[in-house]
Amino acid sequence: MSTEIVGPSVKVRRPSWFARQDWFFAVALALFVGVGVWFSRAIVDFFAPAQKTVSTPSLVGQTLNDAFATAGRAHLKASVLRRTPSDQYPKDVVMRQSPPGGAQVREGRAISLIVSTGVQIFSMPDLRYESLREVRLDLSHFKLQLGRTKVVPSDDVPANRVVAQDPPPLSSVRSGSVVNLELSKGGPQTIRVPNLEHESVGRARSEAKAAHIHIGQIVWTPFGRY
């Protein structure tokens, strides 16, 4: 006869509904804090004064060092955008600026400057016998401008090449000067002259006309034809 021993029953307790919802409250609290911080920052930005603006000083005509100092006193920065030759402004003098003088900008804004390198004088290059394409390359290299071109006859210079130039070669010029050219249209066309010996005057005239030749003075002699 077997005996069955039954132990005491154990009751498992499940978490309550409130315990299961704890993480919902944590998320909601974090979201509430985030919205509150954002809203507070927006209120501060709305009532806080806007960033201070200043009027840009006029730096054109000032030396580069003076322009830097003037911009610094106005709580602005100045930087050189590029340098270029000028007949009007001496070397290291501000020619243009951006933004212009009098513009309203925020403090710390950078002003871009174009500064003069002064007048550059050099010897005019010799362009004779060059083609127009070669001339354009040379002028671009020396920062010169092509002016008027004129086609002239020439027995010595091939067609479409420079016969003469103004200013002439080796003369003193400055950057930006205008150069005028005379281009060759080539020498006269060569033609074959027909043999008019022993021909009558009438036939000689006909053959000369057909060959586009003009007969000059005719000299009569008493010897007649051979």
Side-chain angles (χ1 to χ4, degrees):
M1 179 175 181
S2 62
T3 303
E4 182 179 357
I5 300 175
V6 179
S9 61
V10 179
K11 186 178 181 180
V12 179
R13 186 179 179 182
R14 296 181 178 181
S16 65
W17 182 87
F18 292 100
R20 293 196 306 268
Q21 302 303 317
D22 284 348
W23 68 279
F24 286 109
F25 289 109
V27 173
L29 179 62
L31 181 62
F32 177 78
V33 173
V35 172
V37 172
W38 174 83
F39 185 73
S40 300
R41 181 63 181 271
I43 294 294
V44 172
D45 291 342
F46 180 79
F47 288 102
Q51 187 174 357
K52 185 178 180 181
T53 60
V54 296
S55 178
T56 56
S58 177
L59 306 178
V60 176
Q62 295 188 17
T63 63
L64 191 56
N65 291 335
D66 290 344
F68 285 150
T70 303
R73 288 193 295 269
H75 304 287
L76 298 171
K77 300 177 182 178
S79 61
V80 178
L81 180 62
R82 70 174 183 270
R83 298 175 180 267
T84 184
S86 172
D87 294 340
Q88 182 179 359
Y89 295 93
K91 184 179 180 180
D92 293 331
V93 171
V94 177
M95 301 169 53
R96 290 187 293 277
Q97 69 179 83
S98 178
Q104 295 296 317
V105 298
R106 293 183 177 182
E107 286 188 348
R109 170 73 183 273
I111 304 177
S112 299
L113 306 177
I114 298 179
V115 182
S116 171
T117 57
V119 179
Q120 294 183 351
I121 299 178
F122 51 90
S123 297
M124 179 68 201
D126 191 349
L127 306 176
R128 291 173 298 180
Y129 293 93
E130 289 189 359
S131 66
L132 197 56
R133 179 180 179 278
E134 294 170 336
V135 167
R136 293 183 188 277
L137 292 176
D138 285 344
L139 296 184
S140 176
H141 175 74
F142 288 99
K143 295 182 175 58
L144 299 170
Q145 301 181 42
L146 178 61
R148 300 185 306 273
T149 58
K150 179 182 178 182
V151 179
V152 297
S154 175
D155 296 338
D156 301 324
V157 181
N160 300 320
R161 292 187 174 266
V162 177
V163 176
Q165 63 184 84
D166 181 30
L170 302 181
S171 61
S172 296
V173 294
R174 60 183 62 185
S175 295
S177 297
V178 176
V179 181
N180 301 316
L181 302 176
E182 291 185 357
L183 300 176
S184 172
K185 66 177 181 180
Q189 296 181 349
T190 59
I191 58 175
R192 180 175 178 274
V193 179
N195 184 9
L196 303 179
E197 291 184 359
H198 309 297
E199 298 287 350
S200 65
V201 174
R203 184 172 180 81
R205 291 182 188 275
S206 299
E207 292 187 14
K209 183 177 181 181
H212 303 285
I213 296 175
H214 176 70
I215 293 182
Q217 182 179 7
I218 299 177
V219 179
W220 298 89
T221 66
F223 302 103
R225 297 185 62 177
Y226 288 99

